[in-house]
Amino acid sequence: MLKKIDFSQIEGLSAGNAQDDKAKTGVTVFVFPETAIAACDVSGGGPASREVPVVDVEKNDVPVNAIILAGGSAFGLAAADGVMKCLEEHSMGYDTHFAKVPIVVQSDIYDLSYGSSDVRPDSDMGYKACSNALNKNSPVSGNVGGGCGATAGKIGGMKRAQKSGIGYAACSLGNLKVGAAVVVNSFGDVFSKGKKICGLMNEERSGYCDFMEEFYQAAQSRYSEKYKNTNTTIGAVFTNGNFTKSDLKKIAVMARAAYGKCIVPCGTMGDGDTIYAASCGPKTEADVNLAGLMAVEAMESAIADAVESSRISDEEYLANIK
C-alpha cells in the first residue's frame, strides 16, 4: 500500500534555500552529491530556464549536479553562476580532463509583481543556497527560497490574488520512493481534493470568485495583458528508481497530471510550467508507470503544501504587491 513519507527520506539529494525577505525573491537548490540522471517536461509557453537541453532525451546522458528553482524571471538565471562556483569549489562537476564543469539546470518563476521588481536572485544568492544544500539543511516549505515571491490567481490583478510558495511531499511503495517539490506561481486557481484553496478573490477579498468564468468573460473583452504572462509553476520529481533519461521524461510527463488536477488553468502560453524528474541515490528496479503514478500523488500533495504553508494575512500580502 502507498505510504506517505517525509521528503527528507529521498536519498541522494539535499535541498538549500536563500532569499531576500524584504524584496520577496529567492532560490532553492537541489544538489546531487553523487550526480543524477534527469529529464524535463515543459508544458507552458513561456519558460525562463537554463541548460534544459542538457536533460533532453535526444542529448548525451550527462549526469546533473544540481536543479535550481528560483524567482526573478529571466534575471534570476544568474543564480546558477553562484551554484556552479560553489560546486566547483567542492570538486563537483563533469570531468572534461581540463576542468570539472558542474552541470546545473534551472527554471524560474515570474515574481517581479510581488515585493521588489529590481532585486532578483543573483550569483551570491545562488552560492548561498547551494552552500546551505551542501550543509544538508532540511527542506523548508512556504515563503522561502524559490517560493518567496510566488502568488496565484492573477487574472483580476495582484489585489485579488493570493500568496503561494514552495511545497514538498513524498511517498513510497516497497523499496521505491518518489518525492516532489514545487513552486506554485500560477495564473489560475489552486485546488486540493476538489476544493479551492488559493486563487482569485472578489474585490473585497471576502471570498473566492470563479476563475474560469471570469477568464471566459475577460478573453472576450478586457483580458489583462498586464498579468497573463507573469506566471509559472515549476517543480521536480525525485526517485530512487533505476530509470533511463527516457523513463524519467515519461515520469515528468505523467506528473503533469497533478498540475491539471490542482491548477486551473495551467500550461497556458503565459505560463512556463515545467517539471524535472531525476533518478538519484541508491537505485532500485521499478516500473516506470508505477513511478509516474506515484509522482502524480506526490506532486498533488506538494502543491497543497506550497499553498497551505505560505498563508499570510491580507494586510501583509497587500503591502507587498505592485
Side-chain angles (χ1 to χ4, degrees):
M1 187 172 180
L2 199 65
K3 176 184 176 184
K4 289 188 176 182
I5 60 174
D6 191 82
F7 183 85
S8 63
Q9 292 180 251
I10 305 296
E11 299 173 292
L13 80 154
S14 55
N17 297 303
Q19 69 264 345
D20 185 320
D21 289 310
K22 184 177 180 180
K24 306 300 182 186
T25 193
V27 179
T28 298
V29 179
F30 300 96
V31 174
F32 308 103
E34 303 301 324
T35 71
I37 298 298
C40 183
D41 173 62
V42 181
S43 56
S49 59
R50 180 188 186 278
E51 290 278 52
V52 170
V54 169
V55 293
D56 191 298
V57 295
E58 296 179 351
K59 305 301 185 292
N60 285 338
D61 281 342
V62 178
V64 301
N65 299 104
I67 293 174
I68 305 169
L69 306 180
S73 189
F75 292 111
L77 296 174
D81 295 336
V83 174
M84 289 187 69
K85 179 182 179 182
C86 184
L87 293 174
E88 183 183 29
E89 290 176 357
H90 287 80
S91 298
M92 298 172 66
Y94 182 73
D95 192 350
T96 66
H97 300 295
F98 299 99
K100 286 189 175 180
V101 181
I103 306 301
V104 175
V105 293
Q106 179 175 352
S107 290
D108 288 355
I109 65 167
Y110 184 100
D111 58 3
L112 305 182
S113 56
Y114 188 77
S116 174
S117 60
D118 57 3
V119 176
R120 306 107 179 194
D122 56 13
S123 179
D124 289 342
M125 192 181 290
Y127 186 97
K128 184 177 180 181
C130 188
S131 296
N132 288 335
L134 290 170
N135 288 331
K136 298 183 178 180
N137 291 357
S138 298
V140 180
S141 303
N143 300 306
V144 296
C148 198
T151 52
K154 286 168 273 193
I155 194 172
M158 293 298 289
K159 288 184 178 180
R160 295 175 60 193
Q162 283 189 298
K163 189 72 183 70
S164 184
I166 187 170
Y168 297 88
C171 56
S172 66
L173 186 62
N175 293 325
L176 179 63
K177 299 177 182 179
V178 178
V182 63
V183 179
V184 179
N185 188 62
S186 60
F187 179 49
D189 289 338
V190 185
F191 294 80
S192 177
K193 302 185 186 306
K195 179 183 178 182
K196 183 171 173 176
I197 59 173
C198 184
L200 179 67
M201 303 192 76
N202 59 29
E203 298 282 357
E204 297 76 28
R205 296 186 66 82
S206 60
Y208 287 124
C209 292
D210 187 321
F211 185 99
M212 291 308 298
E213 183 60 34
E214 191 139 340
F215 174 78
Y216 294 141
Q217 294 179 17
Q220 299 177 69
S221 56
R222 56 182 179 81
Y223 186 21
S224 175
E225 294 291 329
K226 188 174 180 181
Y227 296 104
K228 76 172 187 178
N229 294 317
T230 61
N231 322 279
T232 286
T233 295
I234 50 177
V237 171
F238 309 94
T239 179
N240 66 341
N242 187 24
F243 296 120
T244 66
K245 186 183 283 191
S246 294
D247 291 334
L248 292 164
K249 173 66 181 247
K250 183 60 178 177
I251 291 169
V253 170
M254 291 181 71
R256 193 200 306 171
Y259 282 17
K261 291 172 71 175
C262 300
I263 302 170
V264 181
C266 65
T268 71
M269 292 302 288
D271 290 301
D273 292 353
T274 299
I275 300 176
Y276 295 93
S279 174
C280 55
K283 305 296 193 300
T284 186
E285 296 302 318
D287 177 69
V288 66
N289 296 302
L290 173 61
L293 292 172
M294 290 172 66
V296 175
E297 182 79 18
M299 187 61 77
E300 284 189 61
S301 296
I303 289 170
D305 182 47
V307 168
E308 292 165 356
S309 61
S310 62
R311 297 193 190 282
I312 59 175
S313 68
D314 275 0
E315 290 75 15
E316 182 180 350
Y317 173 79
L318 292 171
N320 285 288
I321 65 171
K322 295 289 187 294

